[in-house]
Amino acid sequence: MPSAVTLIRSAALSDAAEYAYAATAPADARLVFLAGSCPLAADGSTVAPGDYAAQAASCIENMRVALDAAGASITDVISTRVLVASTQQADLVTAWEVVRDAFGDHDVPSTLLGVTVLGYDEQLVEIEAVAAVRD
């Protein structure tokens, strides 16, 4: 089934951003609000301490599982917020590149933030998302 999400771009805005600037979903779409996806293994341990890229990849995989449980997929995501526990822009970029590559052509509107700390021991990355699906 095709995605209910429509990505919006504007020639009046910079094309340097690696995502659409806006997205819409039709009125008949069901919105799915995902909790922040964390880099946690099934046993609750934090995956890949110290590795921003590996933690971002783990977050994406856990997000895919949550989306599937809600009857959605990554192409149904309408926006993301990527939180990275670092004051170094390079660390944010490392995490972002993993997220960007995971979404591919479905480059949803996103916000990338450096934060001081996240909720789990040794956690460096968390990804929030909203999806829209038609049942």
Side-chain angles (χ1 to χ4, degrees):
M1 176 179 289
S3 175
V5 176
T6 300
L7 300 179
I8 300 169
R9 302 169 200 301
S10 173
L13 297 170
S14 170
D15 63 358
E18 298 176 324
Y19 47 80
Y21 279 99
T24 63
D28 65 340
R30 175 174 53 91
L31 295 180
V32 180
F33 297 88
L34 283 79
S37 177
C38 300
L40 298 178
D43 66 1
S45 64
T46 302
V47 172
D51 188 333
Y52 289 92
Q55 285 200 9
S58 177
C59 290
I60 291 291
E61 287 311 308
N62 288 338
M63 182 179 67
R64 287 180 190 269
V65 171
L67 285 164
D68 185 61
S73 71
I74 201 162
T75 58
D76 297 314
V77 172
I78 195 167
S79 68
T80 67
R81 181 176 297 124
V82 181
L83 309 171
V84 182
S86 179
T87 60
Q88 301 301 307
Q89 187 178 35
D91 297 333
L92 277 69
V93 170
T94 295
W96 171 250
E97 288 174 344
V98 172
V99 174
R100 178 201 60 210
D101 291 351
F103 278 87
D105 290 338
H106 187 69
D107 55 346
V108 298
S110 298
T111 299
L112 176 63
L113 299 167
V115 300
T116 57
V117 66
L118 291 166
Y120 294 99
D121 292 341
E122 302 182 280
Q123 180 184 2
L124 300 173
V125 181
E126 187 163 333
I127 304 170
E128 298 176 9
V130 176
V133 294
R134 283 189 170 129
D135 290 322

